[in-house]
Amino acid sequence: DNPRCHHKGREMDEEKDVDYESVTIGGHTGNDSKEKLFVENTALYTRMSRACHVMMFLYSTAFWIQVGVYPFLIKKLGVSTVTYGYLETFAALATILPSPLFGRFGDRFGAKAAMMLCFTGSFIFYFFLAMADDVNDLILSRMAGVFMHAFHGAQMIMTDVSGTRDRADALSKISISYGLGIVVGPTLGGWLTTLYSEQFAAGVAASLMILALVFVLVVVPSQTKDPRRIAESQKKNSSQTQEGGLLNMKAVISLLSIPEVSYLIVLKTIVGIPVGVFHSMFSIVSIERFGLTPQTNGYLLTYTGILTAIMQAVGVGFFTRRFPSDLKILRISIIFKALSYFCLAWINEAWLLAICFIPMVLSGALMNAVANSTLTKNVPETATGTSLGLSMATHSIIRTFSPTMGAYMYSTLGYSSLGLFGFIMNAGVAILINAHHPPGIE
């Protein structure tokens, strides 16, 4: 049975546009029980999927304009390396707590309100960069960055409008437009900086966020969750996740008491540490180990963006269709990742690095999509955004210590230690998955 059922919906206004079907399918879940799946409204699913792609492309383009411009702006303003490190650490710490709170905000007030908050914060972030003439402006900019959770917001929307069976594929495809932004953003930022200035490039990024904000106001409905799914969830689960106010951390932390949630969070953290360590050192490694010039480094980043888009468009869907078990896909992704890190430890040519990126990008896409999809399936419908926020928080936690850890490993143990560390960590996770996993991850 295909869970994406095409049907004719009633004429509804925007507030009533969320209309889902539910179907019952036969399944063998150990006790031969039947599994109830909720299936998305095809028209709404298509419209929101396109809307998320537009929003993510605008967000990613602006963000990667900033990534390319920011180091030069730091140098232009005379900011020291130590101060730069403090800014990056602050940026990472400042997004740990807001990630689950942003998800809780979306659960309580709707994904549209969450996306409006995100793009407003993003505009302020780039506006202060565009106006920056000292380090204080950079600090103010980084403070506004706590609201920059567009990818999280898009995941909340697609979780709300997708069926449980094809959710991993739906979540993965959001990264296609983000990958296109990686292709366009750095190049556009370089041109704008060359022709005008770093501040002008940041101003263009701010303008893109205004465009995104208007787009959300016009296109995204005020509520994307299905009331029937919420009612079904409330019958099976306590209302603890909805108790208290927005800042009720007890409700957020209570999700970690769900075995599947805590298991996946720990899994993502362990697997993500080697990724954070390698990414933090890539700018140095690309020069010292692989001898890349700024031009060839730009080509490699563009190649990575294209590769990411292809893997999200084709790779994740290919595996999720052929391996309906989330556990099998997690095992495959961990094996790919372990092998790619082992190869990474010994290569010293740029073309070999490009080849090594293929399994690395594929495994990362599979891991993130399936882990996030499985998270949302194992929490109440009223807490899907919060669970995604906990998942996103793992990346922020890793960013707080991975630069220091990477610098120490690279300076004392050498380049190969980065790859071998990733291999050992992922091999350990592979053993953990085979030895134990909660019943909700099958």
Side-chain angles (χ1 to χ4, degrees):
D1 292 340
N2 186 349
R4 186 169 297 171
C5 299
H6 296 273
H7 64 281
K8 295 182 178 180
R10 298 185 306 273
E11 292 292 330
M12 295 173 292
D13 56 26
E14 187 178 84
E15 296 299 318
K16 298 180 180 179
D17 199 17
V18 182
D19 184 26
Y20 292 76
E21 289 182 356
S22 62
V23 296
T24 304
I25 63 172
H28 299 281
T29 57
N31 56 359
D32 292 331
S33 63
K34 289 188 175 182
E35 180 187 3
K36 190 172 184 181
L37 298 179
F38 289 92
V39 186
E40 74 276 3
N41 174 312
T42 304
L44 180 66
Y45 176 90
T46 302
R47 183 155 62 92
M48 290 299 97
S49 178
R50 292 171 179 171
C52 285
H53 283 306
V54 173
M55 291 185 291
M56 287 312 304
F57 176 73
L58 292 173
Y59 177 82
S60 177
T61 300
F63 180 80
W64 284 94
I65 286 176
Q66 175 264 155
V67 168
V69 166
Y70 193 68
F72 298 97
L73 183 58
I74 288 287
K75 184 178 180 180
K76 181 178 180 180
L77 297 177
V79 177
S80 68
T81 304
V82 174
T83 304
Y84 174 74
Y86 288 152
L87 284 171
E88 293 304 294
T89 301
F90 170 77
L93 288 172
T95 56
I96 294 175
L97 186 60
S99 291
L101 291 180
F102 180 82
R104 184 166 171 78
F105 180 88
D107 286 333
R108 293 176 67 86
F109 301 107
K112 179 174 185 173
M115 292 302 281
M116 290 176 61
L117 177 64
C118 164
F119 288 129
T120 301
S122 300
F123 166 76
I124 296 172
F125 176 86
Y126 298 123
F127 176 79
F128 276 114
L129 280 185
M131 298 292 105
D133 56 13
D134 58 35
V135 70
N136 293 325
D137 293 327
L138 297 180
I139 295 173
L140 291 173
S141 174
R142 282 298 190 244
M143 291 176 65
V146 301
F147 300 109
M148 295 175 65
H149 300 282
F151 198 86
H152 182 184
Q155 286 183 326
M156 286 195 287
I157 293 174
M158 295 311 299
T159 297
D160 290 343
V161 302
S162 63
T164 53
R165 179 180 286 178
D166 58 350
R167 184 169 294 169
D169 191 34
L171 292 177
S172 72
K173 282 183 167 53
I174 300 173
S175 296
I176 297 174
S177 46
Y178 190 89
L180 293 177
I182 296 176
V183 175
V184 175
T187 303
L188 180 58
W191 287 345
L192 292 173
T193 301
T194 302
L195 295 174
Y196 301 98
S197 67
E198 293 84 358
Q199 284 89 343
F200 183 86
V204 171
S207 300
L208 292 177
M209 293 302 92
I210 294 177
L211 181 60
L213 185 59
V214 173
F215 184 83
V216 172
L217 286 169
V218 174
V219 176
V220 180
S222 59
Q223 184 56 262
T224 52
K225 288 184 182 291
D226 176 26
R228 284 175 288 181
R229 292 210 292 194
I230 295 176
E232 183 79 12
S233 174
Q234 289 174 339
K235 290 179 183 178
K236 298 179 180 179
N237 304 278
S238 68
S239 59
Q240 185 178 10
T241 56
Q242 287 297 294
E243 292 176 352
L246 176 64
L247 301 179
N248 181 12
M249 290 305 298
K250 181 179 178 181
V252 175
I253 296 173
S254 68
L255 292 179
L256 295 175
S257 65
I258 302 174
E260 290 80 5
V261 174
S262 56
Y263 183 88
L264 287 168
I265 293 297
V266 171
L267 202 72
K268 285 197 66 177
T269 303
I270 296 174
V271 171
I273 291 174
V275 177
V277 168
F278 181 72
H279 283 185
S280 67
M281 297 305 300
F282 182 74
S283 58
I284 296 176
V285 167
S286 63
I287 298 173
E288 296 185 359
R289 177 76 175 186
F290 298 100
L292 299 183
T293 64
Q295 184 178 20
T296 53
N297 185 61
Y299 291 152
L300 185 61
L301 290 176
T302 300
Y303 162 79
T304 304
I306 296 172
L307 187 61
T308 300
I310 293 174
M311 292 303 179
Q312 301 288 358
V314 181
V316 174
F318 175 85
F319 281 95
T320 54
R321 285 191 298 269
R322 282 157 180 76
F323 301 96
S325 167
D326 291 342
L327 184 62
K328 287 184 179 179
I329 298 177
L330 286 174
R331 285 171 174 164
I332 291 171
S333 67
I334 295 301
I335 291 172
F336 277 159
K337 192 176 284 288
L339 293 175
S340 62
Y341 273 108
F342 184 78
C343 296
L344 190 68
W346 312 112
I347 61 176
N348 56 9
E349 297 288 342
W351 66 273
L352 289 174
L353 180 63
I355 294 175
C356 195
F357 275 175
I358 296 175
M360 186 175 288
V361 170
L362 174 60
S363 61
L366 285 173
M367 178 71 186
N368 288 327
V370 174
N372 288 335
S373 173
T374 307
L375 270 176
T376 61
K377 295 174 188 177
N378 286 279
V379 299
E381 180 67 23
T382 53
T384 53
T386 308
S387 68
L388 289 170
L390 288 172
S391 176
M392 297 294 289
T394 62
H395 302 293
S396 299
I397 293 172
I398 292 169
R399 283 173 53 202
T400 61
F401 62 84
S402 58
T404 303
M405 185 176 179
Y408 176 80
M409 291 176 60
Y410 183 71
S411 60
T412 58
L413 303 175
Y415 164 79
S416 295
S417 66
L418 303 179
L420 292 176
F421 174 66
F423 171 74
I424 293 171
M425 295 289 281
N426 283 277
V429 169
I431 295 172
L432 172 64
I433 291 178
N434 285 321
H436 168 73
H437 57 85
I441 303 176
E442 296 291 348

